[in-house]
Amino acid sequence: MTAMATGTGTRAAGPSFLQTFVSRHGSMMPTFAAVAILLVLFVGAEIFLRGDFITPRNISALLLDNAYLLVLAVGMTFVILTGGIDLSVGSVMAFSGILGARLLAEGTPAFVAVPAMLLGGAAIGLMIGILVQYFNVQPFIASLAGLFLGRGLAYVVSLSSIKVEEPGILWLQSTRIRLGDWYITPTGLIALGAVAIAAFVLHLTRFGRTIYAIGGSEQSARLMGLRTARAKVMAYVISGLCGGLAGLVLTAYSGAGYPRNGIGTELDAIAAVVIGGTILTGGRGYVIGSMIGVFVYGTIKTIISFMGAEQSWMQIIVGALLLLFIVVQRAIVARSEGRR
Amino acid sequence: MPADNEVPPIVEMRGITIRFPGVLALDDVDFTLRPGEVHSLMGENGAGKSTLIKALTGVYAIDSGTIRVAGEQRTFHSASDAQEAGISTVYQEVNLCGNLTVAENVMLGHEPRKGGGIDWRATQREAARHMESLGLAIDPRSMLASHSIAIQQLVAIIRAMVLEAKVLILDEPTSSLDRGEVEQLFDVIRDLRSQGVAILFVSHFLDQVYEISDRITVLRNGALVGEHPVEELPRDALVTKMIGRELEDLATLEKSSHRAIDRTGAPVVRAEGLGRRGVLEPADLDVYEGEVVGIAGLLGSGRTELVRLLYGADRPDAGRLEVRGAPAKVHSPRHAIDHRIAFSSENRREEGVVADLTVAENIVLGMQARQGWMRKVPRKDQDAVVAEYIEALGVRPANPHALVGNLSGGNQQKVLLARWLATAPELLILDEPTRGIDVGAKADIQKKVSELSSQGLSVIFISSELEEVLRLAQRVAVMRDRRKIGELDSTQVDLDGLIDYIANAGEGSAA
């Protein structure tokens, strides 16, 4: 009963700043941990590579090379926050990319082809969302169906790579907006824009808060009168839309659409989101964290290629990090439940 | 101040009927709720209280009947429909989101907005204002999950006020609150009543019902028994109406606590210095054959923790266990079952019954697990056992094929008890077996425990209702602050003595 005694009424002594901070922002801890890991990686690589790592060029390239993954991770964050999962995004990205490349190759103007890419992604997301919400299919299974569907559609569009020559699309990648040695491409801006919009939606709109509420307790959210069905379907639509957008970014980046793109990329996106501090059971996490997660992921990849080590090390390190983060998350969740 | 009959009702339900597969949950029930009254809905478990509430709040569709709110006929399809019509519900299991802040839980879906986004400052200010008006002084920006259930319940009520609820439904709000918290809740209820809010109150605690209600509606087996102003319905009349037969007063129920226990042989289970760091300080406990040992103490005092260590549900890091005089390792529930120890958790929904299986399947589960999965219990034996326990414990509906999820709490508890009894245990651990269940079911369960122990079954009985503990147990172990502070002979102590012991014994000195 000790817990109850302190529960009611005004607190006798004011809580310390630290206590208040923890009670308010406990759920940010995993994201702080991700930032810490990113810093450790940067500093470690800098020391190891004797000052050759933290250069404006490398950091700029980090965003550029991982822009498509960042876009996917943004969409994935919505889905994981509801407690779901979306395995389809890698295939959706491939489908969107090859669809766009083919439309452009056949002379369709970019202002038609690009919306078609985005809508294609959103449509697959909508299908998954409806399966999950109204047919009560496990998100894992529904999005697995989406994975096969997207990949199959990509092969239907074309079995081989299609080069993109549309200048508007190539401009997205070739333009370098420079600031000293730093630079950013329109694809990078698209990715950062996606992060900014997602952050706004998740934190400053009722729809965004409903996403968090669903992750906390879907039944409670429904009983609180929130529009959970719509929000849950929308989470998958957003993820599909981001898949379509990532297809655009990747097509611009690689200058071609290819139906075998993004095999397994959905897992990279999930890994980035989890490393960024979003909890797989939903309700806690930040889209900014997912961005950090993508940077952690990208940095590991860069370090490994700098070292000339086997790419398999990439997978081992990411696997270890994931394990570490899941354990950290469990500990945090257990603690916050234990405090009650 | 009871509302008089002249005030036009805010809610009028007429001829409500709801059928579930195999169960007529509500049969032509009328219910009227007036502004500014506290109206208690009473009935045994399975009488249809929850169903009626869910019909009113749009969770269940009604098969026939009409619902009028403020004179207007309504059909609600969801909880949000009902909320928009001014009907808010606070459930026993608080339905809020623990991952969000207190302020957000209060305001969710109604946050003030500015420039296309939620205005968090205004949201927090607004939440703080509502919290203040009901006297809740906690940090609105703290996480909801960091507060006690009592606080969370108040937050849920404050949320209802933000929605400008004209009808507030409180479904078993007091079952996990202590006395002081109940008082705080009642102050809030009285405050709301004086503002003209109609309050529908459901509780199993008769004292509380009589303390707070203006009017009582009684249901039995899905049908309306009657509606009465509280002053015209004495308690015994209420109980008689609820159970439909003269209650053998619980006080006259055979007291098993006076039965003499032979403590000369080895105890069925002996725990020596059993503990776990941060969970429970090392404690000793003996249970002899045919003995009922009560564990008393406040919620969170370590009662559940002790039996979980005993059962192997949590792993002890200190102490040892003997079963019938021989040292035993009980490191998992599997070992406990091998030693014929059965544990019925206080958390019957999550750790007890399997809601998607039938009554029969749930009962057979334990038996089958004991026998090993490869050797199926013959169908005929299954049916016989199931029929026997449904009969012996009075499970309602007496239909072995009804889904347990559709049964009321008391009946789920009976099914759970049946499951463990079917495994023929030598020690039965019951953690809060009677919480949240009605008088009739309570009496049934107590009677069964008393009867079984007189046939040689050893029982550890945990309950917040101390009368119950004193009536059943020969010995009472008292817990406080995750420590066993002593043991009492229940023939030597009365209720006040026990309460005093829980509150004051061993103060200042380690027991």
Side-chain angles (χ1 to χ4, degrees):
Chain A
M1 193 59 58
T2 46
M4 295 277 189
T6 57
T8 48
T10 329
R11 288 206 182 88
S16 74
F17 170 76
L18 189 69
Q19 279 170 341
T20 310
F21 185 82
V22 169
S23 86
R24 287 178 178 177
H25 303 293
S27 62
M28 280 187 181
M29 293 305 160
T31 304
F32 289 147
V35 173
I37 291 231
L38 185 62
L39 290 178
V40 167
L41 280 175
F42 273 4
V43 172
E46 181 72 10
I47 293 168
F48 190 75
L49 298 167
R50 296 175 212 296
D52 243 3
F53 190 78
I54 308 183
T55 62
R57 221 181 84 89
N58 278 347
I59 307 296
S60 301
L62 186 62
L63 174 61
L64 177 61
D65 293 343
N66 296 291
Y68 72 96
L69 187 60
L70 183 50
V71 174
L72 290 183
V74 165
M76 189 67 76
T77 307
F78 279 84
V79 173
I80 293 184
L81 279 174
T82 66
I85 197 107
D86 188 352
L87 298 179
S88 73
V89 294
S91 303
V92 168
M93 177 175 74
F95 166 58
S96 148
I98 194 71
L99 177 71
R102 170 134 180 216
L103 287 176
L104 291 169
E106 288 172 354
T108 317
F111 67 83
V112 176
V114 170
M117 294 166 82
L118 301 182
L119 282 179
I124 296 179
L126 179 65
M127 180 204 82
I128 297 171
I130 288 173
L131 280 177
V132 169
Q133 179 60 36
Y134 296 104
F135 293 85
N136 235 341
V137 180
Q138 294 282 333
F140 186 94
I141 300 298
S143 65
L144 190 62
L147 182 153
F148 286 114
L149 178 66
R151 187 65 61 190
L153 286 172
Y155 289 134
V156 167
V157 174
S158 168
L159 283 172
S160 56
S161 161
I162 300 176
K163 216 167 146 48
V164 172
E165 277 146 13
E166 156 73 36
I169 303 291
L170 296 177
W171 172 84
L172 290 177
Q173 178 64 20
S174 55
T175 314
R176 305 259 152 129
I177 300 157
R178 289 183 186 278
L179 188 75
D181 281 339
W182 299 82
Y183 65 87
I184 191 165
T185 60
T187 49
L189 287 174
I190 289 175
L192 291 181
V195 172
I197 293 171
F200 175 82
V201 168
L202 283 174
H203 298 288
L204 290 172
T205 67
R206 289 184 184 168
F207 162 69
R209 302 322 291 171
T210 304
I211 296 277
Y212 278 88
I214 292 173
S217 162
E218 187 171 354
Q219 184 187 334
S220 296
R222 195 167 52 240
L223 290 173
M224 286 163 103
L226 302 177
R227 298 183 187 282
T228 54
R230 201 179 63 176
K232 214 162 133 196
V233 173
M234 273 306 287
Y236 289 91
V237 171
I238 287 171
S239 182
L241 186 71
C242 284
L245 187 61
L248 174 67
V249 169
L250 187 63
T251 304
Y253 178 77
S254 59
Y258 183 47
R260 298 183 69 86
N261 265 340
I263 292 178
T265 306
E266 59 279 349
L267 303 180
D268 298 341
I270 294 168
V273 171
V274 172
I275 289 173
T278 300
I279 291 180
L280 277 172
T281 46
R284 289 161 207 245
Y286 301 92
V287 72
I288 302 293
S290 300
M291 182 170 80
I292 304 291
V294 169
F295 289 158
V296 168
Y297 184 90
T299 305
I300 297 170
K301 211 158 73 175
T302 313
I303 292 172
I304 284 170
S305 69
F306 264 62
M307 289 165 54
E310 282 278 333
Q311 277 301 316
S312 48
W313 280 101
M314 171 80 205
Q315 315 238 345
I316 292 171
I317 294 171
V318 170
L321 268 184
L322 265 183
L323 271 180
L324 177 75
F325 269 75
I326 289 167
V327 171
V328 168
Q329 290 177 1
R330 278 308 312 163
I332 288 171
V333 171
R335 246 189 60 134
S336 73
E337 278 167 4
R339 250 189 329 197
R340 217 191 259 203
Chain B
M1 178 206 66
D4 71 71
N5 278 319
E6 307 311 314
V7 185
I10 178 84
V11 172
E12 259 186 300
M13 303 174 83
R14 291 283 168 266
I16 305 295
T17 301
I18 292 186
R19 278 183 201 84
F20 293 138
V23 189
L24 184 59
L26 283 181
D27 183 8
D28 194 23
V29 172
D30 297 343
F31 179 72
T32 309
L33 192 59
R34 297 165 192 83
E37 74 169 351
V38 176
H39 194 142
S40 282
L41 193 54
M42 299 295 290
E44 289 193 282
N45 286 101
K49 298 178 307 250
S50 303
T51 314
L52 188 69
I53 289 173
K54 285 179 175 162
L56 176 57
T57 52
V59 178
Y60 291 156
I62 52 178
D63 291 320
S64 67
T66 58
I67 301 176
R68 286 171 176 278
V69 177
E72 206 179 311
Q73 185 165 338
R74 304 296 294 260
T75 312
F76 300 131
H77 298 290
S78 68
S80 56
D81 284 0
Q83 272 181 19
E84 273 161 37
I87 301 174
S88 283
T89 312
V90 176
Y91 296 91
Q92 178 180 5
E93 303 89 16
V94 181
N95 277 288
L96 295 173
C97 295
N99 60 325
L100 303 178
T101 64
V102 171
E104 204 170 353
N105 271 292
V106 170
M107 300 299 298
L108 207 56
H110 304 83
E111 303 94 340
R113 284 185 280 200
K114 190 174 71 182
I118 292 171
D119 182 349
W120 283 111
R121 274 171 187 283
T123 301
Q124 266 141 18
R125 216 169 33 234
E126 187 94 330
R129 189 171 62 76
H130 285 288
M131 285 159 62
E132 204 174 315
S133 73
L134 288 186
L136 183 62
I138 54 171
D139 179 6
R141 291 170 65 187
S142 54
M143 286 289 156
L144 183 79
S146 65
H147 297 287
S148 68
I149 297 288
I151 298 283
Q152 295 191 20
Q153 225 147 29
L154 289 178
V155 172
I157 293 175
I158 291 164
R159 174 176 172 79
M161 292 306 103
V162 173
L163 308 181
E164 288 173 358
K166 297 191 285 283
V167 176
L168 180 62
I169 301 172
L170 299 170
D171 189 358
E172 291 284 355
T174 57
S175 54
S176 17
L177 308 194
D178 69 20
R179 191 59 228 169
E181 290 165 340
V182 169
E183 270 316 312
Q184 195 183 3
L185 176 69
F186 280 8
D187 286 344
V188 168
I189 291 177
R190 290 190 191 101
D191 193 13
L192 294 174
R193 171 171 61 186
S194 65
Q195 295 168 26
V197 177
I199 291 156
L200 173 53
F201 185 76
V202 177
S203 171
H204 281 105
F205 298 103
L206 290 185
D207 292 341
Q208 295 177 0
V209 167
Y210 276 90
E211 185 182 339
I212 195 78
S213 310
D214 302 311
R215 202 181 295 271
I216 295 176
T217 288
V218 184
L219 297 179
R220 186 173 67 233
N221 292 332
L224 178 69
V225 179
E227 188 205 271
H228 309 271
V230 69
E231 59 277 7
E232 291 172 18
L233 188 67
R235 285 174 193 229
D236 47 352
L238 170 64
V239 172
T240 306
K241 281 176 191 295
M242 281 165 61
I243 62 177
R245 57 184 149 99
E246 293 295 326
L247 178 71
E248 316 164 53
D249 192 2
L250 281 176
T252 66
L253 189 85
E254 183 218 352
K255 276 196 181 186
S256 60
S257 57
H258 285 75
R259 200 152 38 76
I261 299 298
D262 172 19
R263 297 202 179 93
T264 49
V268 173
V269 169
R270 156 172 284 167
E272 273 175 35
L274 199 67
R276 183 179 163 90
R277 209 168 336 127
V279 173
L280 184 76
E281 285 183 33
D284 300 340
L285 191 71
D286 295 345
V287 187
Y288 289 87
E289 190 167 310
E291 186 179 31
V292 181
V293 175
I295 301 184
L298 300 170
L299 215 73
S301 59
R303 302 176 314 193
T304 301
E305 289 77 1
L306 174 60
V307 293
R308 284 180 66 92
L309 290 175
L310 205 64
Y311 183 65
D314 293 323
R315 218 174 156 142
D317 60 10
R320 48 194 237 101
L321 211 61
E322 278 176 18
V323 176
R324 294 204 178 274
K329 275 202 175 89
V330 179
H331 286 161
S332 76
R334 182 77 241 174
H335 295 147
I337 291 170
D338 289 344
H339 288 297
R340 298 198 164 254
I341 302 174
F343 172 53
S344 158
S345 161
E346 63 177 332
N347 203 340
R348 66 175 165 259
R349 268 178 207 285
E350 282 166 30
E351 296 175 6
V353 294
V354 184
D356 292 334
L357 296 183
T358 64
V359 170
E361 285 164 337
N362 264 288
I363 293 177
V364 173
L365 212 54
M367 240 163 85
Q368 183 70 65
R370 205 189 138 63
Q371 190 154 79
W373 293 106
M374 298 305 289
R375 281 173 296 156
K376 193 171 185 317
V377 179
R379 187 76 207 196
K380 211 173 66 194
D381 295 1
Q382 287 188 16
D383 290 347
V385 167
V386 168
E388 180 195 331
Y389 283 111
I390 287 179
E391 167 68 26
L393 294 169
V395 177
R396 291 289 168 273
N399 172 6
H401 305 297
L403 286 186
V404 164
N406 291 341
L407 264 54
S408 66
N411 283 303
Q412 291 185 357
Q413 188 66 49
K414 289 179 182 174
V415 170
L416 193 56
L417 192 59
R419 180 206 291 172
W420 288 119
L421 293 177
T423 65
E426 290 178 350
L427 171 63
L428 177 62
I429 304 172
L430 297 171
D431 192 356
E432 292 280 8
T434 60
R435 181 199 289 167
I437 73 175
D438 61 80
V439 192
K442 223 174 242 179
D444 285 346
I445 286 176
Q446 291 185 18
K447 214 153 69 187
K448 197 75 196 166
V449 167
S450 161
E451 187 185 309
L452 289 165
S453 65
S454 68
Q455 293 164 11
L457 177 72
S458 307
V459 178
I460 295 179
F461 191 89
I462 302 181
S463 174
S464 297
E465 288 185 41
L466 299 175
E467 297 94 328
E468 196 173 86
V469 174
L470 284 176
R471 195 154 47 232
L472 284 173
Q474 289 88 33
R475 225 157 16 106
V476 182
V478 180
M479 311 287 296
R480 187 171 64 217
D481 296 340
R482 306 195 169 244
R483 186 156 69 81
K484 182 176 160 191
I485 56 172
E487 244 173 51
L488 300 171
D489 183 335
S490 52
T491 55
Q492 308 289 322
V493 68
D494 62 359
L495 185 58
D496 291 336
L498 179 56
I499 291 173
D500 184 55
Y501 194 87
I502 290 173
N504 303 319
E507 199 78 323
S509 66

